[in-house]
């Protein structure tokens, strides 16, 4: 007989890991014990050498789907002559954390149990150690029922038995519940309330069939749902929610249904069906079935996701439609609502009925959004199913708090070698979102027991995330504050994702970032490492007339670029896009440009795309963030091989690009072809910039980041062409390339500077 102590670190709590260890131990006739601690799972195991070997092998190879083993430490021990295998109650070992599991979609076994187990027949909160809510209901660590919002539900004898029975799949399943003892749904329609689940499902399906809007409480917040094939219903939802143009996400009951509407490749199928269940941006199927036109609003892609709560499955059994719109239950840009009472009052004008339940959501978590490009998953919004899973780094980031950027904000806190990126917070532009930011940051520092030692934020003086960090630094004497340039942070976040810690060529294709010279940066060619950067080149500055106004009115950038590069009187060119812009407005912009009034300098890639989208008439006014570049990508004609030419000097000039585009428009070249030529020329710009930097420095690693890389064509073509040129190319996969990833970059930059004594 031999005895070993095994210490497993990683995502091993709340994912059915201890019962799994128990079952494996029984299988191999191992004796000893397993227990949860703050720093992972600890096992004491006794058996013959062969038994222990087989035991360890199974631990590694057969771990539950949502678990992730990072490290296994094994030490020889003297035998304790244990005669059975036990699961011991949680105890606090140390101050180190164990990860909190993200929420997990209901598993196939539970769906089966929902049909066969008498006390869980049609029970919409069914879960087991392999599935169910986690992060959204957890208040603290270690993960145990009293520290979740399930604490108010007392287990019935049947559930208690299963909870205590080691061979049961619900052994120590903290949110265990059944029809007798767990939470339940309630449907509120007008003055009427219904509690019977069967009745509720029938009625909800009926409401949706009749074109009504139902507010449905989801895993991490409320959704607004309606029939995605009913144009009137979708339009009504749009107008009520003040969401004029942004495409809606759509839920399907099964992937087979989904296939009638969308092209789904293997990588996309894997994402759609994974236990994380993100929204995946998919290509609408040509000649396939059609959703209501207002769902995608002119885009040839749709964000689709599959059922992930038991309720979704039950509802789809009753629904007449194969697809429902499932959009965040909030008003315009505020955080998604999680509280029943708040939903009933604030969504009263939007929803015709409310499908709520009586378990609290503690941590708000939106649906995550992903896409596939170059056959690889790409994160767009990292939230449910991912947060708060840490990013593991090979550097000490302990106690660093990074407040992120402004748009699609996530913050990031450091614990040991782990970067804990928050769930999607939103655009830090209103009080509600700022409250959510502050509350979540507070909760993260408490839950993960962070002792703040350093603050890091963006350079932009007006970001609420910057001001928050500055206020906090001012209040405490021992919290140094570091401000990091936005695009350096973008590149560093991608480096962190790939474990890079060396000098690289960093290429940022981004919308807005505050530059060292006070101008608006965006398309930046950097030479950088984690500690520092050098701005080697950038898009030549253009004037942004009306400053932020230009974000909503891309025609302003179109006019500005034409004014700078083509002709001082662009209105005389007879380009169709100016026809709908009033004469008076054009005069104002022209005067502003000539007198340099409220015309900040910008090298933004986003504004460059805006300009081309406007001039080609694709999008002169945009109603949601990045609409113009998205519409320009949307119409791109892949069969067009031509391209324009950027000119390289001290900076990169788009003069010829705009001159040729103007000629093309006047020659009636379709916008689809112009878009393709423009996209291809931007790819060449990036490749040429990388080659130029390699020629001077000998560096062959290129790191790509910034929001414009959410453009699939741009990303995949750039990667391909850079690889053809012999570069090692690094782009984002699981961290957003948009501003949602900036906090991670800030964190590692601060850590590097701290480690090298720069601060
Ligand atoms: Zn399950
Ligand atoms: Zn029960
Ligand atoms: Fe950015």
């Amino acid at each position: 007989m031999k005895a070993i102590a095994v210490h497993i670190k990683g995502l091993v709590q709340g994912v059915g890991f201890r019962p799994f260890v128990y079952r494996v131990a029984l299988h191999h006739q191992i004796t000893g014990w397993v227990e949860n601690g703050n720093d992972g799972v600890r096992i004491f195991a006794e058996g013959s050498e062969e038994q222990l070997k087989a035991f360890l092998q199974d631990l590694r190879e057969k771990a539950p789907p949502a678990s992730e083993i990072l490290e296994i430490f094994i030490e020889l021990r003297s035998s304790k002559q244990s005669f059975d295998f036990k699961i011991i109650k949680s105890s606090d070992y140390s101050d180190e954390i164990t990860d909190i599991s993200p929420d997990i979609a209901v598993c196939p076994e539970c769906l089966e149990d929902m049909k066969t187990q008498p006390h869980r027949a049609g029970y919409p909160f069914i879960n087991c150690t392999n599935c169910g809510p986690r992060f959204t209901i957890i208040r603290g660590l270690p993960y145990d029922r009293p520290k979740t919002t399930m604490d108010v539900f007392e287990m019935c004898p049947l559930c208690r038995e299963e909870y205590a029975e080691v061979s049961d799949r619900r052994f120590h399943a903290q949110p265990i519940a059944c029809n007798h003892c767990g939470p339940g749904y309630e449907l509120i329609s007008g003055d009427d309330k219904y509690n019977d689940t069967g009745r509720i499902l029938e009625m909800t399906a009926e409401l949706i069939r009749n074109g009504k809007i139902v507010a449905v409480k989801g895993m991490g917040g409320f959704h607004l749902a309606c029939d995605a094939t009913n144009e009137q219903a979708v339009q009504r939802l749009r107008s009520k929610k003040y969401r004029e143009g942004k495409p809606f996400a759509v839920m399907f009951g099964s992937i087979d249904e989904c296939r009638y509407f969308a092209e789904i490749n293997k990588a996309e199928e894997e994402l759609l069906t994974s236990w994380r269940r993100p929204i995946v941006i998919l290509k609408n199927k040509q000649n396939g079935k059609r959703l209501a036109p207002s769902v995608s609003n002119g885009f040839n892609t749709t964000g689709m996701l599959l059922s992930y709560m038991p309720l979704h499955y039950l509802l789809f059994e009753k629904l007449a439609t194969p697809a429902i719109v499932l959009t965040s239950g909030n008003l315009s840009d505020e955080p998604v609502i999680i509280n029943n009472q708040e939903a009933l009052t604030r969504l009263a004008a939007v929803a015709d009925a409310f499908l709520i339940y009586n378990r609290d959501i503690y941590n708000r978590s939106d649906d995550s959004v992903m896409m596939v490009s170059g056959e690889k998953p790409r994160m767009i919004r990292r939230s449910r199913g991912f947060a708060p899973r840490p990013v593991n780094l090979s550097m000490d980031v302990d106690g660093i708090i990074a407040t992120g950027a402004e748009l699609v904000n996530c913050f990031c806190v450091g614990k040991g070698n782990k970067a804990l990126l928050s769930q999607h917070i939103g655009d830090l532009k209103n009080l509600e979102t700022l409250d959510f930011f502050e509350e979540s940051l507070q909760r993260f520092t408490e839950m993960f027991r962070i002792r703040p030692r350093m603050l890091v934020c963006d350079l932009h003086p007006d970001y609420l995330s910057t001001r928050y960090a500055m206020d906090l630094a001012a209040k405490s004497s021992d919290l140094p504050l570091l401000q990091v340039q936005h695009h350096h942070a973008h590149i560093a976040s991608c480096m962190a994702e790939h474990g890079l810690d060396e000098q690289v060529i960093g290429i940022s294709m981004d919308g807005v970032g505050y530059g060292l010279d006070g101008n608006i940066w965006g398309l930046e060619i950097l030479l950088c490492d984690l500690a520092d950067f050098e701005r080697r080149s950038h898009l030549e500055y253009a004037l942004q007339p009306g400053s932020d106004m230009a974000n909503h009115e891309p025609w302003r950038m179109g006019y500005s670029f034409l004014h700078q590069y083509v002709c001082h009187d662009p209105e005389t060119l007879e380009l169709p896009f100016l026809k709908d812009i009033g004469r008076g407005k054009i005069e104002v912009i022209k005067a502003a440009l000539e007198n340099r009034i409220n015309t900040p300098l910008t090298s933004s890639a986003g504004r460059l795309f805006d300009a081309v989208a406007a001039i080609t008439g694709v999008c002169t006014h945009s109603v949601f963030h990045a609409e113009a570049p998205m519409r320009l990508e949307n119409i791109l004609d892949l069969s067009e091989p031509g391209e324009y030419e950027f000119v390289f000097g001290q900076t990169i000039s788009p003069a010829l690009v705009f001159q040729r585009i103007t000629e093309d428009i006047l020659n009636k070249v379709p916008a689809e072809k112009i878009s393709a030529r423009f996209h291809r020329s931007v790819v060449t710009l990036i490749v040429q910039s990388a080659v130029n930097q390699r020629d001077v420095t000998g560096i062959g690693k290129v790191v790509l980041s910034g929001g414009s890389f959410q453009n699939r064509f741009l990303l995949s073509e750039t990667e391909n062409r850079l690889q053809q040129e012999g570069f090692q190319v690094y782009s984002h996969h699981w961290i957003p390339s948009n501003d949602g990833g900036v906090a991670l970059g800030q964190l590692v930059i601060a850590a590097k500077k701290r480690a090298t004594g720069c601060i």
Side-chain angles (χ1 to χ4, degrees):
M1 290 287 274
K2 279 193 158 181
I4 51 170
V6 185
H7 181 190
I8 302 180
K9 287 189 170 195
L11 198 111
V12 287
Q13 274 198 349
V15 290
F17 204 83
R18 282 176 303 166
F20 155 73
V21 173
Y22 179 88
R23 286 191 289 268
V24 175
L26 284 200
H27 182 75
H28 294 291
Q29 293 159 326
I30 298 290
T31 59
W33 45 259
V34 55
E35 78 177 320
N36 260 351
N38 281 317
D39 58 348
V41 162
R42 286 170 183 267
I43 302 165
F44 180 82
E46 295 192 72
S48 72
E49 190 152 346
E50 292 80 61
Q51 284 168 334
L52 286 171
K53 220 174 134 190
F55 172 68
L56 288 172
Q57 188 173 347
D58 277 2
L59 284 189
R60 284 200 179 88
E61 291 173 5
K62 295 180 178 166
S67 70
E68 189 181 78
I69 296 175
L70 284 178
E71 290 172 292
I72 301 189
F73 303 95
I74 301 163
E75 277 174 34
L76 277 176
R77 288 289 156 86
S78 51
S79 170
K80 291 191 175 151
Q81 306 288 338
S82 47
F83 55 87
D84 61 357
F85 198 87
K86 283 198 183 73
I87 298 185
I88 302 184
K89 206 172 159 52
S90 302
S91 67
D92 282 10
Y93 268 106
S94 70
D95 210 21
E96 263 196 81
I97 50 159
T98 288
D99 307 330
I100 292 177
S101 166
D103 300 287
I104 307 167
V106 60
C107 73
E109 289 84 0
C110 280
L111 289 174
E112 190 55 36
D113 286 350
M114 204 157 60
K115 294 186 181 122
T116 52
Q117 282 191 338
H119 61 306
R120 294 203 182 83
Y123 182 58
F125 291 91
I126 193 164
N127 66 81
C128 71
T129 47
N130 296 325
C131 77
R134 298 288 186 274
F135 174 58
T136 51
I137 61 165
I138 291 178
R139 286 205 216 90
L141 284 174
Y143 172 57
D144 264 324
R145 189 164 171 120
K147 291 193 174 171
T148 71
T149 59
M150 279 298 292
D151 60 344
V152 293
F153 298 96
E154 203 184 325
M155 280 180 224
C156 70
L158 238 92
C159 282
R160 189 172 297 283
E161 225 171 84
E162 294 167 312
Y163 184 85
E165 172 51 54
V166 272
S167 63
D168 197 285
R169 210 175 71 256
R170 294 192 177 80
F171 174 71
H172 283 200
Q174 305 306 342
I176 189 173
C178 76
N179 269 318
H180 306 311
C181 66
Y185 278 94
E186 181 176 50
L187 180 71
I188 302 173
S189 177
D191 292 334
D192 302 321
K193 294 181 178 183
Y194 306 88
N195 287 303
D196 177 75
T197 306
R199 183 92 199 275
I200 286 174
L201 292 168
E202 298 280 358
M203 291 190 63
T204 306
E206 180 69 20
L207 285 162
I208 287 174
R209 184 165 37 240
N210 292 333
K212 303 291 185 203
I213 298 164
V214 184
V216 184
K217 189 172 181 178
M219 190 95 96
F222 271 84
H223 283 125
L224 289 162
C226 75
D227 184 350
T229 62
N230 181 334
E231 174 64 11
Q232 259 187 331
V234 180
Q235 273 189 17
R236 191 162 155 259
L237 177 55
R238 247 182 214 296
S239 68
K240 289 198 169 221
K241 217 192 144 195
Y242 307 111
R243 183 168 169 136
E244 284 179 74
K246 208 172 173 184
F248 282 133
V250 172
M251 177 178 269
F252 286 85
S254 75
I255 187 149
D256 295 334
E257 272 305 335
C258 202
R259 280 186 211 285
Y260 289 117
F261 295 83
E263 307 283 355
I264 305 173
N265 66 29
K266 202 164 170 295
E268 288 162 340
E269 177 174 345
E270 269 171 34
L271 282 183
L272 275 174
T273 55
S274 80
W275 59 266
R276 304 166 182 281
R277 289 291 204 283
I279 295 168
V280 184
I281 310 287
L282 299 170
K283 262 217 175 71
N284 298 339
K285 196 169 206 161
Q286 289 201 327
N287 310 320
K289 287 193 189 174
R290 299 249 171 243
L291 296 168
S294 289
V295 170
S296 310
N297 237 356
F299 286 95
N300 56 23
T301 53
T302 308
M304 300 187 181
L305 80 166
L306 302 180
S307 296
Y308 57 89
M309 292 174 84
L311 177 94
H312 301 147
Y313 285 88
L314 293 168
L315 192 56
F316 271 103
E317 282 175 16
K318 305 283 179 204
L319 283 170
T321 176
I324 52 173
V325 165
L326 209 62
T327 186
S328 310
N330 56 1
L331 293 177
S332 55
D333 289 329
E334 293 174 8
V336 58
I337 294 171
I338 55 174
N339 177 279
N340 289 346
Q341 211 45 53
E342 206 183 325
L344 288 169
T345 48
R346 304 209 62 194
L347 296 177
V350 186
D352 300 301
F354 295 83
L355 182 49
I356 61 172
Y357 61 78
N358 57 344
R359 181 181 67 207
D360 286 341
I361 296 170
Y362 187 71
N363 296 304
R364 176 185 281 115
S365 202
D366 291 84
D367 294 320
S368 293
V369 183
M370 300 194 73
M371 65 173 191
V372 169
S373 170
E375 286 161 33
K376 299 210 181 67
R378 312 286 181 172
M379 188 64 74
I380 294 173
R381 182 167 78 192
R382 187 181 182 276
S383 218
R384 179 185 51 76
F386 294 92
R389 171 171 273 200
V391 180
N392 293 289
L393 304 166
S394 53
M395 62 202 299
D396 171 27
V397 292
D398 198 62
I400 303 175
I401 293 177
T403 59
E406 179 178 66
L407 293 177
V408 294
N409 177 279
C410 291
F411 60 80
C412 192
V413 297
K415 177 87 180 175
N417 289 340
K418 293 173 182 191
L420 296 150
L421 202 55
S422 76
Q423 71 269 46
H424 166 78
I425 301 291
D427 296 348
L428 281 182
K429 285 185 163 182
N430 55 54
L431 206 60
E432 289 78 9
T433 313
L434 184 65
D435 284 348
F436 176 31
F437 170 89
E438 293 190 19
E439 178 191 79
S440 304
L441 185 51
Q442 178 85 26
R443 285 179 180 180
F444 263 63
T445 42
E446 274 170 25
M447 228 162 14
F448 296 109
R449 299 175 206 180
I450 311 282
R451 269 175 250 109
R453 287 161 56 197
M454 189 178 171
L455 291 160
V456 50
C457 66
D458 198 276
L459 263 186
H460 202 302
D462 297 331
Y463 281 179
L464 291 180
S465 53
T466 304
R467 290 205 206 148
Y468 176 86
M470 285 181 156
D471 287 351
L472 208 61
K475 274 187 238 158
S476 49
S477 54
D478 56 348
L479 266 183
L481 172 70
L482 176 72
Q483 287 187 273
V484 169
Q485 202 283 320
H486 188 85
H487 303 104
H488 184 208
H490 265 305
I491 300 298
S493 81
C494 190
M495 292 173 71
E497 193 179 344
H498 293 282
L500 288 172
D501 183 4
E502 61 194 283
Q503 207 164 46
V504 299
I505 299 165
I507 298 184
S508 152
M509 296 290 292
D510 199 33
V512 180
Y514 196 85
L516 294 182
D517 56 5
N519 297 323
I520 304 167
W521 292 11
L523 195 168
E524 307 299 321
I525 314 299
L526 310 179
L527 194 62
C528 66
D529 53 28
L530 289 181
D532 236 322
F533 76 97
E534 191 189 326
R535 190 190 198 196
R536 302 285 290 200
S537 187
H538 60 88
L539 182 69
E540 190 165 77
Y541 282 132
L543 300 173
Q544 185 169 321
S547 196
D548 284 351
M549 284 294 288
N551 297 341
H552 312 288
E553 299 187 13
W555 71 270
R556 287 171 185 250
M557 284 316 298
Y559 190 92
S560 173
F561 275 105
L562 292 174
H563 184 267
Q564 187 166 337
Y565 294 115
V566 181
C567 156
H568 280 294
D569 310 294
E571 60 278 15
T572 62
L573 292 171
E574 305 269 322
L575 293 171
F577 88 102
L578 286 176
K579 289 216 173 87
D580 295 332
I581 314 290
R583 186 83 219 141
K585 266 193 150 180
I586 293 175
E587 288 301 327
V588 171
I589 293 310
K590 190 175 183 181
L593 288 170
E594 275 164 8
N595 300 307
R596 294 291 317 270
I597 299 163
N598 194 19
T599 51
L601 293 174
T602 181
S603 58
S604 162
R607 296 300 81 76
L608 175 71
F609 277 77
D610 277 0
V612 176
I615 296 171
T616 50
V618 172
C619 185
T620 54
H621 294 76
S622 78
V623 291
F624 61 89
H625 181 68
E627 177 178 1
M630 282 166 70
R631 294 211 181 269
L632 193 64
E633 179 194 3
N634 189 57
I635 60 156
L636 185 158
D637 176 0
L638 286 171
S639 68
E640 166 60 39
E643 60 180 278
Y644 307 118
E645 190 188 342
F646 285 89
V647 180
F648 289 78
Q650 197 69 351
T651 57
I652 304 159
S653 165
L656 288 179
V657 173
F658 282 99
Q659 287 160 19
R660 287 286 314 281
I661 290 179
T662 305
E663 286 167 27
D664 278 354
I665 295 172
L666 295 174
N667 288 331
K668 306 263 186 299
V669 175
E672 289 79 0
K673 286 195 186 296
I674 295 176
S675 170
R677 290 175 189 175
F678 171 68
H679 273 86
R680 290 191 196 283
S681 59
V682 174
V683 174
T684 300
L685 175 166
I686 297 170
V687 175
Q688 189 58 51
S689 298
V691 169
N692 291 349
Q693 294 311 316
R694 183 173 60 186
D695 287 348
V696 183
T697 63
I699 293 171
K701 292 188 177 179
V702 180
V703 177
L704 308 173
S705 189
S708 303
F709 282 117
Q710 287 172 122
N711 181 316
R712 289 198 230 204
F713 178 85
L714 188 66
L715 178 59
S716 61
E717 280 294 300
T718 300
E719 282 193 316
N720 288 343
R721 297 247 331 258
L722 282 171
Q723 273 154 6
Q724 283 164 21
E725 291 289 338
F727 286 99
Q728 278 175 275
V729 189
Y730 300 87
S731 60
H732 288 281
H733 298 291
W734 301 103
I735 301 297
S737 68
N738 60 42
D739 285 5
V742 162
L744 175 64
Q746 294 174 345
L747 187 92
V748 290
I749 290 169
K752 188 69 185 176
K753 282 192 186 264
R754 182 171 71 178
T756 50
C758 294
I759 32 170

